[in-house]
Amino acid sequence: MIKMQVKDVMGKVAIAVRQDASFAELVATMQRFKVGAVAVIDADRRPVGVVSEDDLLLKETSQRHGEGFFQSRRRRQERHKAAGVHAGQIMSSPAITVTAGTPVREAARLMHEHRIKQLPVIDAVTGKIVGTVHQGDLLKIFMRPAEEIRQEVLRALSGLGFPADGVTVAVEDGVVTLGGRVALCSQIAPLVAAVEGVDGVTGVEDAVTFTVDDLVATPMPYL
């Protein structure tokens, strides 16, 4: 099965600043590219951290008085960032990155898990930044033509290890409708799972029938 990769949807512009970039430069870069975060790179163009709008807003929201000696580790980190004057002091690190060959689903998982809206894309060999992928870029997988999705679904079904040539496939607005017949009832679940794994599929309507119900338990004979 062919999986869409970051290279299929990423932006070719590497949105990044040097570690010595000033607070004003950070704000200007975000406004220029209309993004909520920028990667911070070292002298070799390797990402070492990320500065987000939230990091910048700590300047405004940080309380400078009255917190006393006892502070949480997170709060101490936030106060340190708020006192920073350039990107290397304000950034969150390490940078979470992907390569051009990273599956789109994995990039989406990283964004969701870390609650971020974009990821620096790095060269798999040198580690240098080569682009940026945004949440909006990942949504492109749901804009695939219906026939393209259908052909990939057919390829996925052909690799299941059991005959699925009796299954019909129709695609509309990302929803795949499966019909036809398979030999065994137990074959339907892996059939549906394979279709759900195809990039661009938003739902599966299962209308597949079977010849033999091999999931029915055989009653034990009386002794």
Side-chain angles (χ1 to χ4, degrees), residues 6-130:
V6 166
K7 66 182 179 183
D8 299 318
V9 299
M10 63 181 274
K12 302 301 183 181
V13 176
I15 305 174
V17 297
R18 300 287 188 182
Q19 289 174 277
D20 59 356
S22 68
F23 189 95
E25 288 178 282
L26 288 166
V27 174
T29 301
M30 290 184 190
Q31 291 181 339
R32 176 186 175 189
F33 293 100
K34 296 180 173 57
V35 294
V38 293
V40 181
I41 56 176
D42 62 17
D44 294 318
R45 293 183 56 81
R46 295 187 178 94
V48 293
V50 174
V51 175
S52 68
E53 289 176 328
D54 287 342
D55 293 326
L56 298 182
L57 287 174
L58 288 174
K59 280 283 189 186
E60 183 68 25
T61 61
S62 179
Q63 298 177 3
R64 299 182 180 277
H65 304 286
E67 293 194 64
F69 180 77
F70 297 102
Q71 299 176 14
S72 68
R73 180 180 178 182
R74 177 181 175 183
R75 184 57 188 149
R76 289 195 299 271
Q77 290 174 336
E78 288 179 346
R79 286 176 63 84
H80 177 74
K81 285 185 181 183
V85 295
H86 54 72
Q89 297 171 324
I90 301 170
M91 69 182 187
S92 298
S93 62
I96 300 166
T97 63
V98 293
T99 68
T102 300
V104 166
R105 287 176 182 258
E106 173 64 12
R109 184 192 68 77
L110 286 171
M111 286 188 186
H112 175 73
E113 184 177 301
H114 296 279
R115 298 182 179 181
I116 51 181
K117 297 183 178 180
Q118 62 199 56
L119 292 165
V121 183
I122 62 172
D123 183 276
V125 177
T126 66
K128 296 182 179 183
I129 190 168
V130 294

Side-chain angles (χ1 to χ4, degrees), residues 175-197:
V175 177
V176 177
T177 300
L178 300 175
R181 180 182 293 270
V182 292
L184 305 175
C185 179
S186 61
Q187 293 172 336
I188 295 178
L191 191 86
V192 173
V195 176
E196 290 175 336

